[in-house]
Amino acid sequence: MMMASDQVNNTCKCLVCLGIKKTINDIYSVLKIYGWILDSYIIDFYHGKLWSKLPNSWTKILDDISPEEFGSWIINDFKIKNHVLPLSLLSLGKLLKLLTINRDEKTNTAISCSNNKKIINNKLNCNDYEKYIIDNNNKILKLKNLFNKNVKEKKRYEIENFSKYCSYISYVSNCNAIIDIGAGIGHLSRKLSYKYNKKMICIEKEKSLSDSAQKYDDNFINILKKSFKKICGQRPYHYCTKIVDESYEGSELSDKFNDILIKNFLFNEDEYTNEFGLIGLHPCGDLAVRLLKFFIKQNNAKFICVVGCCYMKLTTGKNEAKIGYPLSKFVRDKSDNSLSYEALEVACHAVENYCDKLKNSLEDIYVRKGDGIKHGYIGSVKVKNQMSFNEYCKLATMPLEKERQLTEDEIDNKIVNKNINEWKKVVIFEGLRMMLAPLVETLVLFDRFLFLSEHNIAPQLKAIFDPRISSRNFVITAIKNTKI
């Protein structure tokens, strides 16, 4: 099997790619000033005196603003009643909206390399395709509850939207064989197999999950056979293996895919093609990067659709072969391109999340206790209405050694009570971190966008999920025969 060229051709001069490079430079300029906020652990708020490190002009106003008002300003740019925010904070808010990718899936806008002639951005085209599928497969849709069986509501939403999108890209690229990486127990693949009639190969490293997927397939097919004389779609094939950079940069895994397709899905040799698409719904950390690297190196990998997650699990550093960030030559060549674990972690949360004010006070107690413990383990506590801080501390420290458990005097004193009364500052400081977090996700996604562009493949970025339901909602897509 001939391999795709490894040579990086950093020559795309389209306005989109040039604009992305400028945006990346601008983001790093912002992070030089405000990156310390992202790099701060919110758990360090009290003993790290994080509030006092903010500009005085900010804290004077933010002291008097409710968290609800501030949150509304961050998300919706609402004016805050009876207060005028300092110009530096107003300017930062406006700048962040200009530099970060729009997370609203309803706008249906996509960031697409101008050389991308294959992926159609028009929403109507995708809906027309869905109508075509329904008209030709309406019987199977009557068993909608069967697809949703044992699937949580959030996952149902993600699978419904992602399967529709992947099927459409498969249709546009004229490639019906799809490899689902990190397939788990196969809910996504069953949808693509039996609703959209795709040839599915499921890759999962955990044998227990792969075995469970096959049992779910058995139950699914048994119900179909009882309902229909003829079943639309083909059973997914499950292959238990681990995707690693060093092992599968060659043709070994690609050849295995070809063998599976020929033995399990081939009915007419005249129609056979060894091309396949790669998809991944929230592959964790480096796995999303491994899929992109595998994609560019295999000529028979026709398209890719990946929604990444767990940015804090990305391997960072200077080893180009193994790192997950930075990925593109453009970002690697920058003198200061580092992102901290804290910044990558906060970028995995939706802006709407709130911080746990009680846990921050507890951390401060332990630092002042002077036992050398910082960011240590405490028990998970389900906070109920009217639960006192005293009750919370006792439940949280119950699993700890006796010498680490807290006395009444350590829990109930002037310093602790003062910290508790300042909980609004904690929420607002975390709001600032959440406000900056989309900068980090934009960097990670644009880095991947340029990586594909540098290898002469025209990519697209698009929000396909409601961020309030699924916070990691961007899919990066490319079709191999769309060359720059």
Side-chain angles (χ1 to χ4, degrees), residues 273-325:
T273 172
N274 62 358
E275 294 176 334
F276 54 82
L278 293 168
I279 66 171
L281 178 55
H282 293 141
C284 185
D286 287 339
L287 181 54
V289 176
R290 290 169 186 165
L291 297 190
L292 294 173
K293 289 180 178 180
F294 180 75
F295 175 68
I296 65 168
K297 290 179 179 293
Q298 301 296 332
N299 284 333
N300 54 345
K302 188 75 172 288
F303 71 86
I304 189 167
C305 299
V306 176
V307 181
C309 75
C310 300
Y311 302 137
M312 68 284 193
K313 294 184 180 180
L314 287 169
T315 303
T316 59
K318 298 181 179 180
N319 188 334
E320 180 182 343
K322 295 184 179 181
I323 62 173
Y325 175 88

Side-chain angles (χ1 to χ4, degrees), residues 244-414:
V244 292
D245 291 334
E246 294 80 9
S247 299
Y248 292 130
E249 287 188 351
S251 61
E252 177 185 344
L253 188 57
S254 181
D255 290 343
K256 179 64 178 178
F257 291 160
N258 290 332
D259 290 341
I260 293 171
L261 289 170
I262 291 170
K263 292 177 182 178
N264 295 273
F265 298 101
L266 180 57
F267 299 104
N268 185 343
E269 292 188 10
D270 294 335
E271 297 178 0
Y272 174 67
T273 172
N274 62 358
E275 294 176 334
F276 54 82
L278 293 168
I279 66 171
L281 178 55
H282 293 141
C284 185
D286 287 339
L287 181 54
V289 176
R290 290 169 186 165
L291 297 190
L292 294 173
K293 289 180 178 180
F294 180 75
F295 175 68
I296 65 168
K297 290 179 179 293
Q298 301 296 332
N299 284 333
N300 54 345
K302 188 75 172 288
F303 71 86
I304 189 167
C305 299
V306 176
V307 181
C309 75
C310 300
Y311 302 137
M312 68 284 193
K313 294 184 180 180
L314 287 169
T315 303
T316 59
K318 298 181 179 180
N319 188 334
E320 180 182 343
K322 295 184 179 181
I323 62 173
Y325 175 88
L327 187 60
S328 67
K329 183 179 184 302
F330 177 80
V331 179
R332 285 200 316 271
D333 286 348
K334 301 190 73 61
S335 58
D336 185 11
N337 56 23
S338 62
L339 290 174
S340 68
Y341 175 92
E342 295 84 0
L344 289 166
E345 194 276 334
V346 76
C348 287
H349 299 284
V351 175
E352 296 76 18
N353 287 355
Y354 292 96
C355 63
D356 182 350
K357 62 182 180 294
L358 295 178
K359 189 173 181 180
N360 300 305
S361 295
L362 184 55
E363 173 75 4
D364 182 61
I365 293 173
Y366 271 108
V367 172
R368 289 187 290 102
K369 186 177 173 68
D371 60 0
I373 301 296
K374 186 177 180 181
H375 300 168
Y377 168 79
I378 63 170
S380 177
V381 177
K382 186 175 181 180
V383 179
K384 299 179 180 179
N385 289 337
Q386 308 304 319
M387 176 182 284
S388 69
F389 182 67
N390 192 307
E391 292 173 311
Y392 170 83
C393 288
K394 289 180 179 178
L395 290 172
T397 60
M398 193 177 294
L400 305 180
E401 302 88 348
K402 187 174 182 180
E403 59 270 17
R404 290 200 59 210
Q405 293 181 3
L406 302 174
T407 66
E408 290 288 340
D409 290 341
E410 288 172 327
I411 296 173
D412 187 6
N413 56 59
K414 290 182 179 180

